[in-house]
Amino acid sequence: MTKILFVCLGNICRSPSAEAVMKAFVEQENLQDKIFIDSAGISGWHIGQSADARMQKHAANRNFYLTSRARQFDPNTDFEEFDYIIAMDYENMRDLRSMDSRNIYKDKLHMMTEFNTKIPADIVPDPYYGGADGFENVLDILEDACNGLLQKIKSNTQ
Ligand code: 4NP
């Protein structure tokens, strides 16, 4: 079993979308028994909340359904449990690194955009304070990255 955790700041826009896109791709290939997917936020601001309504609407237009509730990243359990811990932007990565105080999980930490094959983005930009374009951009980048991530995991486990 390969375990993937997507991490953003609030766990109500980018990482729950990454979770939904990746779950859809994994189910299309019938790999749900081999790949486990979750998401979490660096902050605890939105714990227990559904994903942002704007994000849900844009995702649903592409047939991705955001059903998770926000939770906060837990350094005491999540570093150990997951194989891939994937940050949406440099701040998320910096915060994850600072919680890995003994620098023992660094090989598990990745930027989401490392897995892109089509869109040359450095980060998945925070859409929270912007307009509709920002949410579409998030989904464009996530679809590309999730596809690349799935190909990588498949090639590693063959
Ligand atoms: P996310 O977006 O990190 O993609 O879930 C945000 C959600 C909420 C806030 C910031 C970013 N906030 O400031 O509450």
Side-chain angles (χ1 to χ4, degrees):
M1 180 77 117
T2 301
K3 294 185 167 187
I4 305 166
L5 183 66
F6 297 110
V7 178
C8 64
L9 180 58
N11 194 213
I12 55 168
C13 294
R14 293 165 292 175
S15 62
S17 299
E19 177 183 347
V21 171
M22 193 66 188
K23 279 183 175 163
F25 289 180
V26 163
E27 280 168 23
Q28 274 167 21
E29 305 214 13
N30 214 21
L31 291 169
Q32 55 271 35
D33 295 339
K34 300 217 160 50
I35 304 177
F36 176 79
I37 302 152
D38 195 7
S39 67
I42 296 289
S43 79
W45 301 331
H46 299 281
I47 289 173
Q49 292 178 15
S50 311
D52 183 282
R54 300 163 297 171
M55 192 74 251
Q56 287 197 48
K57 187 187 83 172
H58 286 274
N61 285 339
R62 301 185 188 206
N63 288 318
F64 301 118
Y65 298 96
L66 277 50
T67 54
S68 63
R69 296 275 173 164
R71 74 168 179 92
Q72 188 169 20
F73 182 81
D74 182 351
N76 294 317
T77 54
D78 288 326
F79 280 126
E80 209 45 60
E81 168 149 8
F82 289 90
D83 304 298
Y84 288 83
I85 298 170
I86 304 181
M88 298 296 136
D89 63 28
Y90 299 123
E91 284 193 343
N92 307 151
M93 179 59 88
R94 184 198 63 202
D95 291 338
L96 287 167
R97 284 195 179 124
S98 74
M99 286 186 268
D100 176 19
S101 48
R102 289 185 290 156
N103 201 28
I104 50 180
Y105 300 109
K106 62 177 184 302
D107 293 343
K108 295 186 174 191
L109 299 182
H110 299 269
M111 291 293 290
M112 188 65 181
T113 50
E114 283 176 35
F115 304 105
N116 282 39
T117 62
K118 299 193 182 84
I119 300 176
D122 295 325
I123 60 164
V124 186
D126 183 348
Y128 193 70
Y129 291 107
D133 287 358
F135 293 93
E136 289 298 313
N137 186 42
V138 165
L139 291 164
D140 289 341
I141 298 171
L142 293 180
E143 286 192 59
D144 187 12
C146 286
N147 181 59
L149 175 60
L150 183 54
Q151 299 317 314
K152 182 186 160 106
I153 291 170
K154 281 166 66 182
S155 67
N156 286 350
T157 53
Q158 258 163 18

